[in-house]
Amino acid sequence: MIKTKRNYKDRLFCKLFGDADYIENTLSLYNALCGTSYNDINQVIMYTLEDVVYIGMKNDVAILLDSYLSVWEQQSSFNPNMPIRGLMYYGRMYDRYIQENKLNLYGEKLIKLPTPRYTVFYNGKKVQAPFQKLRLSDAFIKPINPGDFEWTADMINLNKGCNDSLLEKCRPLAEYMTFVNAVNDLLKTMPIEKAIDAAVEICIKNGILKKFLLKNKAEVKNMCITEFNEEVFINGIREEGLEQGQNLIVDTIHRLKNGESAEDIINSGIDKTTVELALTCI
């Protein structure tokens, strides 16, 4: 039976680029994205929210550097709602920033906030443009003047032939994609657990994320299985109706908080993945 980890922050992308143990990767990706050349890891402040959950997923990586507040999200399926998700993330992070810096939100002096940089890294199977600027205004029921009440997400396609120059500038990102592609290729002929094991061995043999994979082999397997289950579940929600799927998770959360056991809820007819995703939200 496949087990799903409760800590959804511990996805492979998050581990590689949002873990303090691999802060060099974080800085490398920042430099590649922004055309900078920072080399002091002590300048990077991790700012990832630990308690913001959407369909079992937390925002992936957030950092403060040089007065910019960057959020990076990895997506294996296209989601046009990333701008509103980003707006929610940033609202929470700006609230935290204001409190930490004791800024007076109600005074006559304009407070200063770190400039947002919101990037979505796409590596799904469906064809997407190399770059897209997703706009919150596209979701508005009534049209507005261009630029009014706008929030955007830059979506960068990491698949081969789309943004190869970015991968060349950031070796950890390139090796991450090599591993992901290896798993996807192997999934065509073998089950998920065997595909991950084989991809890990192939990459180690070829020096791809070698040190990382040797140290985190078991954890990588769990993270990849979690992402695989998560993608299957979310695709299922799309097929059945997103609102219905979200409501099911919310109802399951309430049942768990009211004292029902996970086992009893599963026995009542709710699928195991829904219950496990609900558990991550408690």
Side-chain angles (χ1 to χ4, degrees):
M1 182 177 295
I2 294 176
K3 296 181 179 179
T4 304
K5 289 167 65 67
R6 292 190 184 183
N7 187 352
Y8 273 72
K9 179 179 178 295
D10 289 334
R11 299 161 69 199
L12 183 57
F13 182 88
C14 305
K15 185 71 174 177
L16 275 170
F17 299 102
D19 191 307
D21 290 340
Y22 302 98
I23 196 71
E24 294 86 356
N25 294 344
T26 310
L27 197 54
S28 174
L29 181 51
Y30 183 92
N31 285 333
L33 279 173
C34 304
T36 51
S37 55
Y38 291 101
N39 53 29
D40 184 0
I41 60 174
N42 294 313
Q43 292 181 279
V44 180
I45 300 174
M46 304 307 301
Y47 225 69
T48 306
L49 295 172
E50 299 294 337
D51 59 349
V52 176
V53 182
Y54 295 95
I55 315 183
M57 294 170 56
K58 300 184 180 181
N59 69 318
D60 289 352
V61 180
I63 64 169
L64 263 174
L65 177 59
D66 190 27
S67 297
Y68 285 99
L69 180 52
S70 299
V71 170
W72 303 333
E73 291 237 83
Q74 176 266 324
Q75 292 282 296
S76 57
S77 58
F78 176 71
N79 186 339
N81 299 305
M82 297 309 289
I84 185 61
R85 284 176 51 168
L87 181 61
M88 292 176 178
Y89 295 154
Y90 274 92
R92 293 287 296 274
M93 288 187 292
Y94 280 142
D95 181 60
R96 169 184 166 185
Y97 183 87
I98 288 168
Q99 293 185 46
E100 287 179 346
N101 291 277
K102 297 181 174 56
L103 301 178
N104 183 4
L105 192 59
Y106 306 100
E108 296 183 356
K109 182 180 179 181
L110 179 68
I111 65 172
K112 291 295 184 177
L113 300 172
T115 303
R117 280 175 169 166
Y118 182 35
T119 305
V120 177
F121 295 104
Y122 171 80
N123 60 356
K125 299 179 181 67
K126 292 186 178 180
V127 176
Q128 294 290 341
F131 177 86
Q132 297 181 56
K133 188 172 284 291
L134 307 179
R135 300 180 184 279
L136 178 63
S137 58
D138 290 338
F140 295 159
I141 296 172
K142 296 289 188 179
I144 60 170
N145 294 323
D148 289 350
F149 306 106
E150 189 61 279
W151 190 267
T152 62
D154 290 341
M155 192 178 92
I156 298 176
N157 192 337
L158 296 180
N159 287 305
K160 187 175 181 180
C162 293
N163 286 284
D164 293 346
S165 60
L166 176 63
L167 300 182
E168 291 170 2
K169 294 175 184 176
C170 182
R171 181 174 177 179
L173 187 64
E175 295 190 355
Y176 163 76
M177 281 304 299
T178 298
F179 175 77
V180 169
N181 289 334
V183 174
N184 285 332
D185 287 341
L186 291 164
L187 278 172
K188 298 173 184 177
T189 58
M190 59 183 70
I192 179 66
E193 294 198 31
K194 290 185 178 180
I196 295 168
D197 286 338
V200 167
E201 295 305 320
I202 290 171
C203 286
I204 290 175
K205 181 179 179 180
N206 290 281
I208 304 299
L209 296 177
K210 183 175 181 179
K211 185 177 179 181
F212 174 84
L213 292 174
L214 286 172
K215 181 179 180 181
N216 301 282
K217 187 181 295 188
E219 188 175 2
V220 166
K221 184 173 182 177
N222 284 334
M223 287 187 286
C224 290
I225 290 174
T226 294
E227 291 189 45
F228 176 79
N229 280 354
E230 181 181 279
E231 182 178 356
V232 169
F233 178 76
I234 291 174
N235 287 339
I237 287 178
R238 288 198 183 95
E239 293 173 2
E240 297 172 8
L242 181 59
E243 184 175 351
Q244 180 182 354
Q246 289 175 323
N247 289 338
L248 184 60
I249 294 175
V250 172
D251 290 341
T252 304
I253 291 171
H254 288 317
R255 292 175 66 177
L256 289 165
K257 287 185 174 180
N258 288 332
E260 284 192 67
S261 70
E263 183 179 358
D264 287 342
I265 294 174
I266 292 171
N267 289 336
S268 73
I270 304 300
D271 68 278
K272 183 173 181 287
T273 303
T274 299
V275 175
E276 288 176 332
L277 286 171
L279 283 167
T280 69
C281 302
I282 298 175

